[in-house]
Amino acid sequence: MMKTITKVGIGCLGAVGVWCLMLRPRQNWPGWERFEGVRFAHRGLHDLGQGIPENSLVAFQRAVDHGFGVELDVHLMADGNLAVVHDSSLKRVCGAEVCIEDLTFEELEDYPLMGTKEYIPLFREVLALFEGKTPLVIELKVERGNANALTDAVMSELEGWNGTYCIESFHPAVLLRLKERYPHVLRGQLSQNFLRDSEVGNLSLPVRFMLTNLLTTTFTRPDFIAYNWKDRGNASLRLMKALYKVHEVDWTVRDRETMEKLDHAEATSIFEGFIP
């Protein structure tokens, strides 16, 4: 009996050890100090009540004027241009049953944002606003297996740009591409509790388990983890912070009290709905 208990105990310790090794991020890569203490406006400092829609040039300019960094979303279009918009489908933000990946730059003027005069901007237009100013957290939105093409296009656009940025994605293939071809870039794994969230598309249970518990870290070695703040009690994230001091970014914060708690936890906040 005691031998059995001992074997089980050793097996459990071994499993925990392997788990911890799998969660090892890239550590001490230079550059993160430029993000410390910065507030990041989620999709720009938008306020639809004032005619300022999300991911619009006016929302980004407003963030710059307030001294905030910005989190934004990038998609690869049919003509190779990069559009800054959150959803692949334009149904929510433009009321149109069309995907941004199927459009060209010339067609964007046909899709005003949320009933305003603002339009979906190109990535290069946004970069021009932030050159030499506040930092960007750039989320890459992979669609139809275009992780490599999207990553390469974004990095091509960023070549020679005079600004501060990091890149994040829910899709581990983006981080792998960055690791292999652009190791100088700070890279982050986006995640949340996919086991609880019912809006996860057709992801299988094993995939949802791996993404929730950050197990792709063993291949991608991110510099930071961007996690839904409501799920930040996740054991893998807690282990990564305790063992490896991984940088934590939390989204999306919608009140000052939560932001203050995250400040005390030395986490970077991505916020919306109020001005800190």
Side-chain angles (χ1 to χ4, degrees):
M1 182 67 174
M2 287 302 297
K3 288 183 178 180
T4 300
I5 294 174
T6 300
K7 288 180 179 178
V8 171
I10 292 173
C12 289
L13 287 174
V16 170
V18 171
W19 182 23
C20 291
L21 287 174
M22 290 179 70
L23 295 175
R24 183 167 57 87
R26 182 168 68 169
Q27 294 175 274
N28 303 317
W29 193 258
W32 189 257
E33 65 278 358
R34 291 174 289 180
F35 295 85
E36 292 176 343
V38 179
R39 311 287 200 198
F40 289 89
H42 187 233
R43 309 177 195 171
L45 197 58
H46 56 91
D47 184 342
L48 194 55
Q50 297 187 44
I52 304 173
E54 65 180 55
N55 276 325
S56 63
L57 288 179
V58 66
F60 296 136
Q61 184 62 62
R62 189 169 180 240
V64 170
D65 292 343
H66 281 77
F68 298 130
V70 156
E71 180 271 352
L72 56 85
D73 312 279
V74 181
H75 288 258
L76 183 61
M77 299 176 68
D79 60 358
N81 276 300
L82 294 165
V84 178
V85 64
H86 184 268
D87 307 339
S88 175
S89 168
L90 299 189
K91 179 64 175 177
R92 181 179 65 87
V93 294
C94 300
E97 294 285 0
V98 64
C99 290
I100 190 68
E101 284 78 17
D102 295 326
L103 298 181
T104 64
F105 166 65
E106 289 77 13
E107 294 173 299
L108 288 181
E109 64 182 17
D110 297 329
Y111 300 95
L113 284 169
M114 296 181 165
T116 71
K117 295 181 180 180
E118 299 300 315
Y119 61 91
I120 297 170
L122 294 181
F123 185 46
R124 62 173 175 266
E125 294 179 287
V126 179
L127 291 181
L129 290 180
F130 285 88
E131 188 146 18
K133 297 176 183 175
T134 52
L136 295 177
V137 176
I138 303 166
E139 179 181 347
L140 272 56
K141 293 287 191 177
V142 175
E143 296 290 339
R144 307 171 187 173
N146 69 355
N148 289 348
L150 171 62
T151 305
D152 291 345
V154 167
M155 291 311 305
S156 177
E157 201 76 71
L158 286 165
E159 187 175 357
W161 181 66
N162 180 28
T164 299
Y165 70 92
C166 60
I167 292 179
E168 65 179 14
S169 183
F170 281 102
H171 205 301
V174 168
L175 277 71
L176 277 176
R177 190 69 163 186
L178 292 171
K179 177 186 173 186
E180 293 167 358
R181 292 203 172 186
Y182 313 98
H184 62 286
V185 175
L186 287 165
R187 56 185 184 262
Q189 180 65 58
L190 269 161
S191 194
Q192 64 185 77
N193 185 352
F194 287 102
L195 297 172
R196 182 191 63 197
D197 195 336
S198 60
E199 298 181 4
V200 291
N202 57 357
L203 296 179
S204 67
L205 180 59
V207 169
R208 284 189 286 150
F209 179 84
M210 287 191 67
L211 294 177
T212 296
N213 291 293
L214 305 168
L215 299 182
T216 59
T217 296
T218 192
F219 308 109
T220 59
R221 300 295 188 219
D223 298 289
F224 66 96
I225 302 298
Y227 220 84
N228 186 328
W229 77 266
K230 295 178 182 179
D231 302 327
R232 65 183 298 268
N234 175 268
S236 289
L237 178 58
R238 296 299 95 214
L239 275 173
M240 291 180 76
K241 286 202 75 174
L243 295 177
Y244 306 118
K245 310 300 181 186
V246 72
H247 304 298
E248 178 185 353
V249 177
D250 289 307
W251 54 273
T252 301
V253 178
R254 293 183 170 87
D255 62 84
R256 291 181 181 84
E257 183 180 0
T258 299
M259 180 175 279
E260 289 172 1
K261 290 179 180 178
L262 295 174
D263 286 346
H264 289 307
E266 298 182 342
T268 298
S269 291
I270 296 173
F271 72 93
E272 76 174 8
F274 71 103
I275 298 179

